[in-house]
Amino acid sequence: MMKAGELAAQALALAGRHAVAGISTWELDKIVDEFIRSKGGHCPCKGYGGFPGHNCYSINEELIHGIPSKRKILKDGDIISCDIVAELDGFMGDNTKTFKVGTVSPEAERIMKFTEEALYKGIEQAVAGNRIGDISHAIQAHVESGGYRCAEKFCGHGVGREMHEDPEVANEGKAGHGPRLVPGMTIAIEPMVNSHSRKVNVLNDKWTVVTTDGSLSCHFEHSIAITDGAPVILTLESH
Ligand code: MF3
Ligand code: CO
């Protein structure tokens, strides 16, 4: 899991370095796929439920599951969420960051700050003896303290030999509720945050999830392991 996580994190960082004005999300996806394959891994999102890309790239009001496209070209002021999954030696690493393209608005800076902080508030709760609801509650509380809402319908998940395993890790919930966390569990925590309303739509391409009001959204994700001690972030560029 650490090796797969490391590869996913390196691929995500690579995507971030290439996320500059003028590049298309198709080109970004190609760079990421070639890197992951060069390290002996592959991209399990390709073909997952028919998904046409290797990974997901979502710009501005696009929250998640953006399909790589030659027609989606980054421009100064955009924010882009790169959601990268790598499989290596039978295990999955899943992580997401939202990157700035050039100079972005203060609103974009702020939603990025709150979303990333919410991820770490969730991770702090990922300790043995706590419950999934403790993670959900910590994320929700931080997101709402910024005046934002976690998006409806989508959540984090167990991760391991499969990309999506039990349990669900909701971004809203009650402390003290849900499955108990035990050492050895590995989960993906992924706050998906909208500027105003929690409502989302899926576009006609059947994948891209957008805010219904067209306002900005943001997404950060790590795969983590529950241990006897502090949570271990698996999706780091080096361990
Ligand atoms: N990476 C996403 C997640 O965090 C899943 C991508 S959906 C797919 O769970 F269709 F692209 F695979
Ligand atoms: Co995920």
Side-chain angles (χ1 to χ4, degrees):
M1 290 295 289
M2 280 184 132
K3 291 242 185 280
E6 206 168 272
L7 181 56
Q10 290 167 352
L12 177 58
L14 182 67
R17 289 196 294 277
H18 283 87
V20 296
I23 198 169
S24 70
T25 59
W26 184 87
E27 289 171 291
L28 275 181
D29 195 50
K30 188 166 173 328
I31 290 165
V32 167
D33 174 51
E34 282 174 358
F35 172 75
I36 289 174
R37 280 191 289 111
S38 78
K39 300 291 179 183
H42 83 276
C43 298
C45 292
K46 174 81 179 176
Y48 183 89
F51 186 73
H54 297 92
N55 280 288
C56 304
Y57 308 84
S58 308
I59 303 169
N60 297 334
E61 77 285 358
E62 298 173 355
L63 175 68
I64 51 169
H65 299 172
I67 300 174
S69 164
K70 290 182 177 172
R71 279 171 291 116
K72 290 254 166 93
I73 298 176
L74 298 186
K75 55 184 196 319
D76 195 59
D78 284 343
I79 59 173
I80 178 170
S81 305
C82 301
D83 184 347
I84 308 294
V85 188
E87 178 172 357
L88 186 65
D89 297 336
F91 290 98
M92 306 283 181
D94 183 2
N95 63 171
T96 306
K97 280 184 179 164
T98 300
F99 297 104
K100 300 187 259 190
V101 181
T103 308
V104 305
S105 66
E107 300 90 89
E109 297 266 6
R110 188 171 180 274
I111 195 170
M112 288 173 66
K113 174 178 178 288
F114 271 88
T115 307
E116 189 168 22
E117 285 170 354
L119 168 59
Y120 285 93
K121 297 278 182 192
I123 292 172
E124 268 174 34
Q125 296 299 318
V127 292
N130 270 4
R131 293 179 183 270
I132 290 289
D134 295 307
I135 299 173
S136 309
H137 175 75
I139 292 170
Q140 178 178 7
H142 192 68
V143 165
E144 293 182 2
S145 77
Y148 303 118
R149 286 301 299 276
C150 290
E152 61 178 348
K153 295 179 187 154
F154 295 95
C155 58
H157 48 90
V159 59
R161 290 184 186 276
E162 304 292 335
M163 177 163 62
H164 291 148
E165 299 182 353
D166 287 341
E168 284 192 350
V169 183
N171 290 319
E172 298 189 337
K174 284 192 189 143
H177 285 66
R180 181 86 69 185
L181 302 175
V182 296
M185 284 176 77
T186 49
I187 57 176
I189 302 178
E190 50 180 319
M192 289 162 259
V193 175
N194 288 352
S195 293
H196 307 296
S197 152
R198 55 201 300 278
K199 293 279 171 212
V200 291
N201 283 331
V202 181
L203 297 184
N204 286 338
D205 65 16
K206 296 197 164 59
W207 282 100
T208 313
V209 176
V210 298
T211 57
T212 53
D213 60 7
S215 62
L216 286 181
S217 59
C218 188
H219 183 200
F220 281 85
E221 173 180 30
H222 271 307
S223 298
I224 66 111
I226 316 296
T227 72
D228 289 324
V232 171
I233 299 177
L234 298 165
T235 37
L236 292 179
E237 282 178 73
S238 67
H239 285 293

